[in-house]
Amino acid sequence: MERWQRVMERQGNAPPDDIPLVLACEGHHGPVVHAANRMARQNGIHPGARVVDMRAICPELQVEYADPAGDIAALDRLVLWARRWCPWTVRDGTDGLILDTTGSDHLLGGEAAMLVEMETQLSLLGLTAQLAVAPTWGAAWALARFGPVRSISGPDDVAIKLGALPVKALRLDANTVLLLRRLGLKTIGAVMDVPRLSLIRRFVKAGLEANPLMRLDQALGKLAEPVASVDAKPRFIVQSRLAEPIFDPTPYLPELCENLCAALNQAGMGCRSLHLTVYKTDGDISHVDVATSAPTRDPEHLHGLFRDKVDRINPGFGFDLITLAAGGVEDIKITQGHLDGGSDDDLHLTRLVDRLSARFGARAVTRPVLRESHIPERAEGQLAALAEPTQMPAPTPKERPLRLFDHPEEVRVLYAVPEGPPAQFVWRRQTHRVTRYAGPERIAPEWWKDRPGTRLRDYFKVENQIGLRIWLYREGLHEDGRGGDPRWFVHGCFA
């Protein structure tokens, strides 16, 4: 909620604080509350409840759509930001961070001073944090969300401090929590008092989130739960500091590209985009971005993409600093296509696509992609050639023509075989006599997309008197109640 409010403030559309507002996301039975502001919580609205039910409680409730993917991305950035306190940080679910501060807290004056420093820095970012320090991951998680205290001094105090907390603090799923409450086990201390053998028999086949014994052992430190810290993506950037302001960065680009590609080559990586920044003497900056269709680290090729683009920079009073940063960094595999060490032709094709996109614009160069549809004209779409590759659906095993028309062309039928293709038809002012055919292949409309009354199609592969193979279809059936007589269209050619 705080992230959404900060975005609205930057856009100048932030709602007043006295209006109850929630962020909603789709649930199994309609939208559910994902987050609520302070006024909404005071009205009894809580996350996880249905928006329809909450409107009955608070008719003036304002609902906006949540962005869970954006929240996760922001939390991942916060994971790297939190490494100012310790080198081991990781995201904990969708709403928390775990920091392994072993050996780092004394650098900040102890655990209490470290918590104060964390809360201060997070508040400067506009974020409200519930902090806790404990010897184990599970204990810190429980104290931060349910505990009355913020720290546990030693391993011996973990069982005492956790005993009064609800069983939900063991990071169990909702069904397990409900089952434990029905058994009369409402606190962690009550679970500790139950003979272990009885619980083992009950939850022997349960997973981690449904096994209270495993979660209890993790919280007490009897079962290891190390922090597997994620690695920050390497950042590749080179710069050129100038002794005096200049007005044209072109002479410095070859050296910048060579230095950047040398760093990428040493790391075994390539980049998909370059970000050129010039810092002007008057405090302003200018950017020029280029992209590639495949990861590369060829300095000559990358330098060529800036041709005719650097002229768009307004130098102003000149600039004295130039930086070149690599984006879309990923591992690149070196493949030898020929015995003499030459490269494959595919590499030259990607370079051609990059040059055309840099010259005419990213939207001017496209590539075909498969779509999830059984309608022929919808099974293929166009995507920018420089766009990230996506997961392609499996192609249909049925035979399709090599050339498919963008718009099916209607033909005039002279004579048609019942339930078969036309014996003769006129297409493009020429009469075609069918000598052989195969089919029909019936393709029904997509009822979830098409309008009511859309007619089905019967496709035929036909061959005319000169050997031309045509793919045509009959739209509709006689007396199907969806129009008049069937219409015939040519949709493609096989040769």
Side-chain angles (χ1 to χ4, degrees):
M1 174 59 71
E2 292 174 343
R3 171 179 169 268
W4 180 88
Q5 290 175 341
R6 192 163 61 250
V7 172
M8 292 295 104
E9 289 176 358
R10 288 198 298 263
Q11 298 177 357
N13 300 325
D17 295 336
D18 57 349
I19 295 180
L21 183 141
V22 298
L23 301 180
C25 58
E26 292 297 330
H28 295 291
H29 302 286
V32 297
V33 177
H34 180 71
N37 65 354
R38 181 181 56 85
M39 184 58 65
R41 293 193 298 269
Q42 291 180 355
N43 283 272
I45 298 174
H46 55 87
R50 294 199 311 166
V51 174
V52 176
D53 299 336
M54 296 300 100
R55 282 190 184 276
I57 299 176
C58 181
E60 64 274 12
L61 181 65
Q62 182 177 347
V63 180
E64 299 288 345
Y65 283 100
D67 181 20
D71 295 337
I72 295 297
L75 203 58
D76 289 336
R77 293 192 297 268
L78 204 63
V79 167
L80 303 178
W81 177 85
R83 290 188 178 177
R84 62 189 63 204
W85 297 302
C86 64
W88 298 282
T89 60
V90 67
R91 175 169 57 86
D92 184 20
T94 60
D95 62 347
L97 300 178
I98 287 294
L99 286 70
D100 189 352
T101 60
T102 304
S104 302
D105 50 1
H106 72 280
L107 301 175
L108 300 172
E111 293 180 350
M114 181 183 63
L115 290 180
V116 173
E117 169 68 13
M118 291 180 178
E119 190 171 11
T120 302
Q121 294 297 329
L122 289 170
S123 64
L124 293 177
L125 296 179
L127 299 176
T128 303
Q130 298 175 218
L131 307 175
V133 177
T136 63
W137 183 333
W141 191 95
L143 288 181
R145 290 163 174 80
F146 303 96
V149 296
R150 300 181 63 183
S151 64
I152 298 178
S153 57
D156 298 335
D157 297 334
V158 174
I160 299 175
K161 296 292 180 63
L162 295 183
L165 301 183
V167 291
K168 192 176 181 180
L170 288 177
R171 296 178 291 171
L172 299 171
D173 56 22
N175 294 331
T176 305
V177 172
L178 180 61
L179 176 60
L180 292 175
R181 288 181 176 179
R182 289 176 176 175
L183 295 176
L185 305 177
K186 298 181 180 181
T187 63
I188 297 179
V191 177
M192 295 180 186
D193 295 337
V194 175
R196 190 176 182 89
L197 183 59
S198 301
L199 291 179
I200 290 177
R201 292 174 178 174
R202 182 78 182 188
F203 300 99
V204 63
K205 296 183 179 180
L208 181 61
E209 295 184 355
N211 193 321
L213 290 178
M214 295 181 65
R215 285 302 196 185
L216 183 61
D217 290 343
Q218 288 179 339
L220 298 178
K222 299 179 181 179
L223 187 63
E225 191 177 9
V227 176
S229 183
V230 297
D231 295 329
K233 291 185 178 180
R235 188 164 181 247
F236 296 91
I237 183 172
V238 293
Q239 64 180 8
S240 178
R241 293 187 177 273
L242 309 177
E244 57 184 10
I246 65 172
F247 297 90
D248 185 13
T250 303
Y252 298 90
L253 281 179
E255 183 180 0
L256 289 173
C257 291
E258 290 179 1
N259 295 338
L260 184 63
C261 291
L264 290 171
N265 189 24
Q266 185 176 4
M269 295 185 173
C271 65
R272 285 183 174 269
S273 62
L274 288 181
H275 187 71
L276 177 68
T277 307
V278 295
Y279 296 83
K280 303 178 184 179
T281 56
D282 58 359
D284 194 10
I285 60 176
S286 296
H287 303 282
V288 175
D289 298 330
V290 296
T292 62
S293 58
T296 181
R297 52 172 179 249
D298 185 359
E300 295 183 2
H301 175 56
L302 294 176
H303 174 245
L305 299 180
F306 285 102
R307 189 177 295 111
D308 300 331
K309 284 197 170 186
V310 181
D311 298 338
R312 306 174 187 175
I313 297 178
N314 181 15
F317 296 100
F319 39 84
D320 53 4
L321 177 62
I322 308 173
T323 63
L324 185 65
V329 178
E330 58 184 80
D331 295 334
I332 186 173
K333 297 181 180 179
I334 302 177
T335 58
Q336 180 177 338
H338 305 282
L339 293 177
D340 59 357
S343 60
D344 289 334
D345 295 334
D346 293 343
L347 183 59
H348 302 294
L349 177 61
T350 58
R351 293 180 179 178
L352 175 62
V353 171
D354 297 341
R355 290 196 298 268
L356 292 176
S357 300
R359 183 63 180 272
F360 301 107
R363 297 182 180 181
V365 184
T366 61
R367 56 185 172 89
V369 293
L370 295 177
R371 304 293 188 190
E372 290 285 358
S373 178
H374 64 272
I375 305 297
E377 62 267 23
R378 298 177 185 171
E380 178 182 324
Q382 295 294 325
L383 188 66
L386 300 182
E388 291 289 337
T390 56
Q391 184 69 27
M392 295 294 183
T396 176
K398 298 182 179 297
E399 184 181 4
R400 292 292 183 259
L402 297 178
R403 181 185 179 189
L404 193 69
F405 300 148
D406 292 336
H407 302 282
E409 302 178 6
E410 188 170 3
V411 299
R412 184 165 59 91
V413 175
L414 301 180
Y415 176 71
V417 178
E419 302 299 328
Q424 289 185 0
F425 60 93
V426 177
W427 175 46
R428 295 182 178 179
R429 299 182 180 181
Q430 293 184 2
T431 301
H432 298 263
R433 181 171 53 85
V434 176
T435 58
R436 293 189 300 175
Y437 77 92
E441 175 190 349
R442 178 160 293 182
I443 296 180
E446 295 178 335
W447 55 265
W448 58 94
K449 289 184 179 179
D450 294 318
R451 295 178 300 176
T454 303
R455 311 180 79 175
L456 55 82
R457 302 176 182 179
D458 285 333
Y459 278 86
F460 296 89
K461 293 180 288 185
V462 302
E463 182 177 324
N464 66 1
Q465 68 275 13
I466 61 175
L468 177 63
R469 299 180 63 196
I470 303 172
W471 202 44
L472 53 78
Y473 68 88
R474 178 181 60 225
E475 184 182 66
L477 299 173
H478 288 285
E479 299 179 356
D480 57 1
R482 296 190 174 186
D485 295 335
R487 302 167 64 190
W488 290 88
F489 296 86
V490 172
H491 206 161
C493 297
F494 287 90

